[in-house]
């Protein structure tokens, strides 16, 4: 219903105005001196202008604050995992502390669709994991992987590869099936013993990987069994073999 308005006669304090709003279901009258109304309007405009300036300044500063937070959390995470032998030397308290730091970093993830990002491509070096199948921390140290461990991903071919170095040099390749903008189903196709002897992977050899943080040099991922992986970029140009 349209609003109707009327003006009252002038009073001692100056001409007054009132507004009748039938749409409210009953008379609703607001009366204020004309001069006071103009002053209030000017004050309102000044207040709006100041708020817009403050909002603009905040919008300029926020990205820098977020970048500073991200860099600080990254630095703390890398510092905490450095003495933990990729996680093999981690206690339960260590694992809980690392997981909380990883969650803080994941909340600041600058890459919202990691599977489509070129930042994902290349060979990544494993810095930390909770996966016992990789760490093999129940074995004597001489029988564990002692050299660098890598994981390579190419999102254009949807291929992945895990590579151990000294002393075993085992490898495994896999096909990736996207499940979301950050998660893939991993279907392993070939294992290579000592990097030389190919063995076709059984059909049940599969898993999931969710890329929860990604930037130019650091990646955080989580597996379907709850394992955490922290990796740093090693070789951006590396290509995973299209066949095992």
């Amino acid at each position: 219903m349209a609003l109707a308005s009327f003006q009252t006669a002038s009073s001692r304090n100056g001409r007054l105005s009132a507004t009748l709003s039938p749409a409210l279901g009953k008379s609703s009258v607001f009366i204020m001196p004309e001069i006071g109304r103009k002053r209030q309007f000017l004050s309102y405009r000044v207040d709006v202008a100041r708020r817009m300036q403050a909002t603009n300044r905040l919008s300029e500063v926020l990205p820098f604050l977020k970048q500073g937070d991200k860099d600080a959390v990254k630095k703390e995470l890398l510092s905490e995992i450095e003495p933990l032998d990729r996680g093999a030397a981690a206690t339960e308290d260590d694992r809980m502390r690392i997981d909380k730091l990883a969650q803080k970093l994941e909340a600041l993830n600058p890459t919202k669709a990691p599977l489509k990002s070129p930042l994902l491509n290349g060979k990544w070096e494993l810095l930390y994991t909770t996966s016992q199948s990789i760490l093999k921390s129940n074995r004597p140290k001489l029988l564990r992987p002692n050299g660098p461990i890598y994981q390579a991903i190419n999102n254009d071919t949807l291929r992945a590869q895990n590579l151990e170095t000294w002393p075993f040099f085992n490898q495994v390749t896999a096909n990736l099936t996207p499940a979301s903008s950050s998660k893939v189903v991993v279907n392993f196709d070939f294992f290579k013993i000592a990097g030389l002897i190919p063995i076709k992977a059984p059909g049940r050899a599969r898993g999931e990987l969710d890329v929860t943080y990604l930037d130019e040099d650091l990646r955080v991922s989580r597996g379907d069994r709850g394992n955490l992986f922290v990796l740093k970029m090693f070789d951006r140009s590396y290509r995973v073999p299209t066949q095992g």
Side-chain angles (χ1 to χ4, degrees):
M1 181 181 295
L3 298 180
S5 65
F6 69 92
Q7 291 186 336
T8 67
S10 298
S11 72
R12 180 181 302 175
N13 294 325
R15 188 162 56 89
L16 303 180
S17 67
T19 301
L20 177 65
S21 302
L24 298 178
K26 61 181 180 178
S27 295
S28 178
V29 181
F30 301 91
I31 303 175
M32 102 175 28
E34 192 80 9
I35 296 176
R37 187 169 59 180
K38 289 181 179 179
R39 286 177 179 172
Q40 186 181 49
F41 178 69
L42 290 173
S43 175
Y44 170 77
R45 290 186 63 181
V46 171
D47 185 55
V48 168
R50 287 174 177 171
R51 291 190 182 195
M52 289 180 65
Q53 290 176 355
T55 301
N56 290 337
R57 287 196 295 268
L58 187 60
S59 65
E60 292 173 358
V61 171
L62 278 176
F64 294 101
L65 292 176
K66 187 173 181 179
Q67 178 69 32
D69 289 344
K70 178 172 71 69
D71 292 344
V73 176
K74 276 178 64 175
K75 184 177 180 180
E76 185 178 3
L77 176 63
L78 294 174
S79 176
E80 289 289 335
I81 65 180
E82 185 177 6
L84 297 180
D85 189 20
R86 283 193 298 245
T91 65
E92 185 61 30
D93 286 344
D94 291 331
R95 286 188 283 270
M96 291 177 63
R97 186 172 65 256
I98 299 301
D99 195 86
K100 287 181 180 179
L101 284 171
Q103 289 181 46
K104 288 176 65 176
L105 192 59
E106 288 165 335
L108 298 169
N109 181 21
T111 309
K112 301 308 178 186
L115 292 187
K116 297 180 180 179
S117 173
L119 296 177
L120 185 61
N121 293 320
K123 183 189 285 188
W124 298 82
E125 181 179 350
L126 182 67
L127 301 179
Y128 174 87
T129 185
T130 56
S131 172
Q132 288 301 312
S133 64
I134 293 175
L135 295 173
K136 300 177 175 63
S137 55
N138 57 333
R139 297 183 183 180
K141 190 169 178 62
L142 290 176
L143 298 179
R144 304 178 199 165
N146 289 298
I149 298 175
Y150 301 104
Q151 182 180 76
I153 296 178
N154 294 139
N155 59 7
D156 56 341
T157 58
L158 292 175
R159 292 285 289 167
Q161 183 181 27
N162 292 343
L163 306 98
E164 291 181 355
T165 56
W166 176 260
F168 304 113
F169 298 94
N170 295 326
Q171 299 179 23
V172 59
T173 52
N175 293 308
L176 307 177
T177 303
S180 73
S181 62
S182 66
K183 182 184 290 188
V184 291
V185 176
V186 182
N187 298 285
F188 297 101
D189 54 3
F190 281 94
F191 296 96
K192 277 191 177 179
I193 308 302
L196 298 172
I197 307 169
I199 299 176
K200 187 172 177 58
R204 66 179 183 276
R206 57 185 299 170
E208 291 183 358
L209 189 69
D210 194 5
V211 180
T212 53
Y213 178 90
L214 178 66
D215 66 19
E216 293 82 359
D217 54 20
L218 193 73
R219 172 163 64 91
V220 178
S221 297
R222 293 184 183 269
D224 55 330
R225 297 182 180 180
N227 288 313
L228 174 65
F229 305 88
V230 180
L231 309 95
K232 69 175 181 179
M233 174 50 64
F234 179 78
D235 181 1
R236 180 72 65 189
S237 63
Y238 185 85
R239 301 294 299 176
V240 179
T242 54
Q243 295 183 346

